[in-house]
Amino acid sequence: MRAYPAPDTAAVRELLLDWCGADADDADDAVRALGSLDGAALELADRLYQSIAADMGGKKWLGWPGPPAGQPMLSLFPLLAAVPDMLKFHGDRGVDEDLSRRVLADIGEKLRLNRRIYGRPGLDVGNWFTGHVRGALYQLGRLQFCVEGPDPKPFAGMHIRGEGGPLTLDAVRDSVEWAMEFLPAVFPERYAGPEDLEFRCESWLLDPQLRDWLPERSNIPGFAALFDLLNEGDPAGNRTDLWRFVFGRPEDTPVDQLPQDNTLQRSVMAGMKAGVVWRNRYGRLDLAKLGL
């Protein structure tokens, strides 16, 4: 077992600002949080790092616990400690540094999102980034692609960053074309070639009910129409993702206190007031609809 390479303050600041695209406020708060870690927190950070190091090249992400009370940034430090492991994995697989930087930019985004939701620094979804630093997930243009599903032929999970730009059909097509070339080249033991790839996505964006509430100019229904849905979704709906990604608020925020600052928020709110239960849906990408 490798000793936990705990990052020092200089490394934390450099990685966050130069590699992760984090805001200066988040980098400053991370440096302060690093200095406040006690023995129990450092022991947990060590265990979390070891779970990464023991599964480099593994699929999907790891089931980490949420951050302990009083240490909302703790999971950030084992992730940053694992960046050299990620870079070595990428280098061994022929992944260039530009893609390494692109995938780490998601950390900076989620630090901003965490501050927007809770009004304080933190990284409440640290386990999500275990896919990034273990070499399972990549940002290829507009979309992220992650090695998921059972061996010997896992599928490629598709994920959508909030700060990734417009979700146009051209952008989606370019990303998928890139993934069809990239994934078999990086994981030849898992994908024999483009014809061996299946793409799947689970998201509130795939809820077909959105078509009835979003304006025609919205890209979301066009993206959702690319997928053959594989389930009906939870009948109880999905409050967590809507509050987080649409409204940027904690899940316990009352409906009448949610913002309505943009078209998406107003459309989702109008549906809720009309009794719509918004659901996550799970689908398989129909490549023919992209002309692929």
Side-chain angles (χ1 to χ4, degrees):
M1 185 171 66
R2 179 184 174 190
Y4 169 48
D8 59 22
T9 57
V12 166
R13 189 178 298 278
E14 178 186 3
L15 285 166
L16 287 177
L17 294 177
D18 296 345
W19 287 81
C20 300
D23 292 349
D25 287 347
D26 285 319
D28 291 342
D29 284 323
V31 167
R32 284 191 285 270
L34 181 66
S36 72
L37 299 182
D38 58 18
L42 289 170
E43 181 180 346
L44 176 56
D46 185 352
R47 292 201 305 272
L48 296 178
Y49 169 76
Q50 298 302 337
S51 70
I52 294 171
D55 193 40
M56 290 301 298
K59 294 177 295 181
K60 208 172 179 181
W61 43 90
L62 302 175
W64 280 9
Q71 296 287 353
M73 287 191 124
L74 181 126
S75 62
L76 175 65
F77 305 119
L79 293 167
L80 296 180
V83 169
D85 302 82
M86 182 195 81
L87 293 176
K88 182 181 186 306
F89 181 87
H90 284 181
D92 291 344
R93 297 276 174 147
V95 177
D96 63 34
E97 183 179 297
D98 178 62
L99 287 181
S100 302
R101 289 179 178 273
R102 288 188 192 187
V103 75
L104 289 175
D106 199 8
I107 292 179
E109 174 182 323
K110 295 306 186 292
L111 287 169
R112 283 186 286 277
L113 178 61
N114 205 109
R115 187 182 292 273
R116 188 160 66 249
I117 292 174
Y118 301 107
R120 57 160 174 76
L123 191 66
D124 62 334
V125 290
N127 68 301
W128 161 244
F129 297 101
T130 61
H132 301 51
V133 297
R134 285 165 40 256
L137 185 145
Y138 298 87
Q139 180 85 35
L140 304 176
R142 177 62 184 89
L143 301 173
Q144 296 171 326
F145 298 88
C146 186
V147 180
E148 303 175 28
D151 286 328
K153 186 181 175 182
F155 59 82
M158 300 170 65
H159 303 275
I160 307 100
R161 278 185 58 195
E163 295 182 6
L167 195 63
T168 66
L169 292 185
D170 285 344
V172 172
R173 183 183 300 106
D174 289 346
S175 281
V176 172
E177 283 188 303
W178 191 349
M180 293 174 74
E181 176 183 351
F182 178 87
L183 291 173
V186 175
F187 299 101
E189 74 281 12
R190 286 177 164 153
Y191 309 110
E195 70 285 348
D196 209 30
L197 280 165
E198 178 180 312
F199 298 94
R200 297 190 182 191
C201 181
E202 182 175 11
S203 174
W204 61 271
L205 293 167
L206 300 192
D207 190 338
Q209 299 176 108
L210 286 165
R211 290 194 300 263
D212 299 328
W213 297 93
L214 289 172
E216 289 185 7
R217 66 180 182 275
S218 173
N219 292 315
I220 292 175
F223 176 74
L226 299 173
F227 294 84
D228 297 324
L229 297 179
L230 302 176
N231 67 11
E232 294 298 322
D234 186 345
N238 177 34
R239 180 184 177 110
T240 301
D241 282 2
L242 288 177
W243 263 240
R244 180 178 183 83
F245 295 118
V246 175
F247 298 106
R249 292 294 186 271
E251 191 175 348
D252 59 359
T253 303
V255 172
D256 61 3
Q257 295 180 22
L258 295 174
Q260 298 186 58
D261 300 330
N262 56 52
T263 299
L264 177 60
Q265 290 175 348
R266 290 190 289 271
S267 299
V268 170
M269 177 64 75
M272 287 194 295
K273 289 180 177 178
V276 174
V277 178
W278 299 112
R279 304 182 184 185
N280 266 27
R281 299 297 296 270
Y282 183 58
R284 181 189 297 111
L285 179 67
D286 184 343
L287 291 170
K289 292 179 180 179
L290 283 173
L292 299 175

